[in-house]
Amino acid sequence: MILALAWASLVRHRTRTLLATVGVAISAAMLLDMVMLATGMRESFRSLLLAQGFQIRLAPKGTLPFDTDATIPGAADAIRTLSARRDVVAVSPVLGEQLHVERDTASVSAAALGTLAPVEGDYKLLSGEAPRAEGEIAANDALLTAVGARVGDTLRLAAGFDPQLRAFTGRRTVRVVGRVHFIYLSAGERAVAVPLSALQSMEGAARRDRVSLIMVRLRDGTDVEAARQAIERGVPAVSAISTTTAIEQVEERLSYFRQLAFILGTVSLAVGFLLVTTLVTVSVNERLGEIAVLRAIGIRRIRIVQQILIEGTAIMLGGAVAGLGLGLLTARYLNSILAAFPGLPEAIDFFLFEPRDAWIALGLLAGSGILAGIYPAWRGASRPIAGTLREEAVA
């Protein structure tokens, strides 16, 4: 009977029930998005760093990888030192530069990464093969489209512009041998992969035996933090950064996102709580006579409170389910906006759906809404029967 009465009350006030459910859905969507935002950046960045299995990055002393134009001197000695360690599986040096790429009348600038093909960890090969010899490069779709080239075509590279000679220096004629996707570059950024020795040679003596970054892959079961400290002592010219350290530094720089997520999540929870409190209060005030009649015919007070709470629970659960779908849609849209920030890797997701966190958030919203209805429901069911009926009759 309690369920039937609750359903009848919800159906009798269809418009109010619908609007309340929509309001709860919006609050649930906002809360879900904020929970996804709070956890998404950390987990997405962690997955990005571990995409190729490298747990430690070595950058020039006191900097983050590619944070400045600084480079690591004595790269060959550093690589030999690292390769000699028993806990190291692979060492991948990377030199980053800006090149000019020409084909026929097309001329564009592009980021260039000098790597060693057998151990590279910066790109995924889509077609063709990785560049291994002098005169070979691999390019991403953004660059190939910009110059109208494809795998097998010949391009001209230049390392820089000499203002005195008024000409580009370090010119090379190269062949595109592969089409690649760069893992750590932003969407639409033009880039090429070049053999490390070729890029060092193009840059001249200033860049010879220098790299911008060294990535280290450790054996399974190795204590990453202990290895990081040992590597930093053994190669004093670098700052060794583990995945955990990198995530902490990135979170410091993006801490305002987490603060925003916390504030908006709290607001959405408060809105849901107040919405249900207001709804139940209005509903109880409209039904004081009905409640008094039920009590007069012997229905216990607790049963009446249960009926009112069932109505609130139905609205909260319906709103939470609708909010789940709405939250996922808005998260995708907001992620496309935030991902367009310059300099961010294309693979970074600001909103990451974690089922456990999502259900906890929605459950918390539903629970708070249900609790919000207890006081007005109990207050309405505790009014004196005779006095309430008299007031209703006069009204």
Side-chain angles (χ1 to χ4, degrees):
M1 184 182 70
I2 294 298
L3 292 175
L5 289 174
W7 174 253
S9 178
L10 292 173
V11 172
R12 186 168 64 244
H13 303 92
R14 291 184 179 87
T15 302
R16 186 171 65 193
T17 301
L18 177 60
L19 292 177
T21 303
V22 171
V24 172
I26 294 174
S27 296
M30 180 183 291
L31 179 59
L32 176 62
D33 286 346
M34 293 307 100
V35 171
M36 292 169 65
L37 178 62
T39 60
M41 291 180 295
R42 180 179 63 252
E43 295 304 321
S44 179
F45 191 72
R46 178 182 178 84
S47 298
L48 181 66
L49 291 179
L50 294 175
Q52 300 293 75
F54 293 94
Q55 301 101 323
I56 296 178
R57 269 87 175 160
L58 308 185
K61 194 73 173 180
T63 70
L64 291 174
F66 294 110
D67 205 31
T68 68
D69 292 330
T71 55
I72 300 172
D77 290 339
I79 293 171
R80 281 193 292 270
T81 300
L82 293 169
S83 299
R85 292 181 57 90
R86 297 181 61 183
D87 54 358
V88 172
V89 175
V91 178
S92 177
V94 182
L95 176 62
E97 290 295 342
Q98 197 74 18
L99 298 181
H100 294 274
V101 183
E102 301 173 352
R103 181 176 185 267
D104 298 333
T105 58
S107 178
V108 299
S109 62
L113 295 180
T115 62
L116 300 179
V119 291
E120 67 81 22
D122 286 274
Y123 60 81
K124 293 182 179 180
L125 190 64
L126 302 178
S127 63
E129 58 187 31
R132 299 173 183 270
E134 295 277 346
E136 295 181 347
I137 67 166
N140 65 357
D141 289 338
L143 177 65
L144 294 175
T145 301
V147 298
R150 58 184 180 181
V151 175
D153 288 346
T154 298
L155 303 176
R156 295 183 300 277
L157 302 183
F161 185 79
D162 189 323
Q164 294 181 343
L165 299 176
R166 296 183 179 180
F168 288 109
T169 60
R171 286 185 174 273
R172 294 286 190 280
T173 299
V174 297
R175 183 171 64 90
V176 181
V177 298
R179 175 173 153 263
V180 298
H181 169 70
F182 290 93
I183 299 171
Y184 303 105
L185 296 186
S186 57
E189 186 173 358
R190 298 184 291 266
V192 295
V194 184
L196 178 61
S197 58
L199 188 58
Q200 289 174 329
S201 176
M202 290 177 66
E203 290 296 320
R207 293 291 193 180
R208 202 173 299 277
D209 200 26
R210 285 178 173 266
V211 295
S212 305
L213 167 72
I214 300 176
M215 297 187 291
V216 179
R217 183 186 297 141
L218 301 174
R219 296 188 185 279
D220 293 339
T222 301
D223 187 330
V224 176
E225 184 58 27
R228 184 196 69 78
Q229 295 176 2
I231 289 172
E232 201 165 53
R233 289 193 299 268
V235 187
V238 304
S239 292
I241 305 168
S242 66
T243 300
T244 302
T245 304
I247 292 174
E248 291 174 352
Q249 292 177 342
V250 168
E251 284 192 337
E252 288 179 3
R253 295 190 175 194
L254 300 178
S255 60
Y256 57 91
F257 280 108
R258 295 180 64 85
Q259 294 172 2
L260 176 65
F262 177 78
I263 293 172
L264 293 181
T266 303
V267 169
S268 65
L269 196 60
V271 168
F273 182 89
L274 294 175
L275 180 63
V276 175
T277 302
T278 302
L279 174 69
V280 174
T281 300
V282 171
S283 177
V284 168
N285 288 339
E286 288 181 350
R287 297 156 56 189
L288 289 176
E290 175 187 330
I291 293 172
V293 170
L294 291 174
R295 291 190 58 203
I297 63 176
I299 303 297
R300 290 183 300 167
R301 182 185 306 168
I302 188 64
R303 302 291 286 176
I304 296 174
V305 172
Q306 287 175 353
Q307 175 193 334
I308 297 172
L309 291 182
I310 287 172
E311 296 172 16
T313 301
I315 292 173
M316 292 301 299
L317 293 180
V321 172
L324 176 62
L326 180 61
L328 293 176
L329 288 176
T330 54
R332 178 175 296 183
Y333 173 71
L334 293 173
N335 191 72
S336 66
I337 296 176
L338 295 176
F341 282 4
L344 286 176
E346 183 180 4
I348 286 289
D349 287 321
F350 284 83
F351 296 87
L352 183 64
F353 179 74
E354 293 286 345
R356 178 177 175 273
D357 293 339
W359 291 121
I360 289 177
L362 295 180
L364 183 62
L365 177 63
S368 66
I370 294 169
L371 291 176
I374 291 179
Y375 173 72
W378 184 263
R379 179 172 173 274
S382 300
R383 289 173 62 90
I385 298 174
T388 303
L389 291 175
R390 189 182 311 110
E391 291 174 3
E392 291 296 314
V394 173

